Amino acid sequence: QVQLVESGGGLVQAGGSLRLSCAASGSISSFNSMDWYRQASGKQRELVARITKSGFRTHYADSVKGRFTISRDNAKNTLYLQMNSLKPEDTAVYYCHAGKTMNWVPYEYWGQGTQVTVSS
């Protein structure tokens, strides 16, 4: 059972930057893709960014394109989210997510979340 632990959240002023990390307790090389989601107070959880197993392909929500960068280091079993030019509307709890299929059975893993607060 792989556990995901996020870190790097905090309070930052608008225009500032934060780098989130998601450390896995085991190998992440078997995950088909890894993602960052966020959930603002009173809103549904939404996909922020996704990266494929190889790390060569990424996908971003329109709201963060050009400001956020997702990356993964399979050797360190860690997923990252570099967030620049932060806006108050980026305030949310950010979750790390990963999925894989073993013997045709899908497995999903979630971290506990890390709070990001952007002040205006």
Side-chain angles (χ1 to χ4, degrees), residues 63-120:
S63 58
V64 306
K65 278 182 182 177
R67 300 188 298 122
F68 290 12
T69 302
I70 187 172
S71 61
R72 63 191 287 174
D73 187 333
N74 287 349
K76 294 183 178 180
N77 295 319
T78 304
L79 176 73
Y80 302 99
L81 184 68
Q82 178 66 43
M83 306 186 295
N84 298 327
S85 302
L86 283 162
K87 304 175 181 180
E89 50 263 43
D90 294 319
T91 295
V93 178
Y94 284 71
Y95 297 91
C96 175
H97 170 264
K100 64 180 178 181
T101 301
M102 292 177 58
N103 298 322
W104 304 103
V105 178
Y107 293 87
E108 287 192 82
Y109 303 90
W110 290 93
Q112 83 289 349
T114 185
Q115 176 70 46
V116 172
T117 302
V118 184
S119 63
S120 58

Side-chain angles (χ1 to χ4, degrees), residues 15-73:
S17 298
L18 284 174
R19 188 194 195 200
L20 304 183
S21 297
C22 171
S25 60
S27 174
I28 66 171
S29 60
S30 62
F31 290 130
N32 298 328
S33 64
M34 296 188 75
D35 323 289
W36 286 99
Y37 282 78
R38 68 185 180 187
Q39 187 167 20
S41 180
K43 295 187 177 182
Q44 288 188 328
R45 191 172 296 189
E46 63 173 352
L47 177 66
V48 175
R50 171 167 290 160
I51 188 166
T52 58
K53 185 175 181 177
S54 66
F56 292 143
R57 296 184 66 181
T58 57
H59 168 80
Y60 297 93
D62 288 343
S63 58
V64 306
K65 278 182 182 177
R67 300 188 298 122
F68 290 12
T69 302
I70 187 172
S71 61
R72 63 191 287 174
D73 187 333

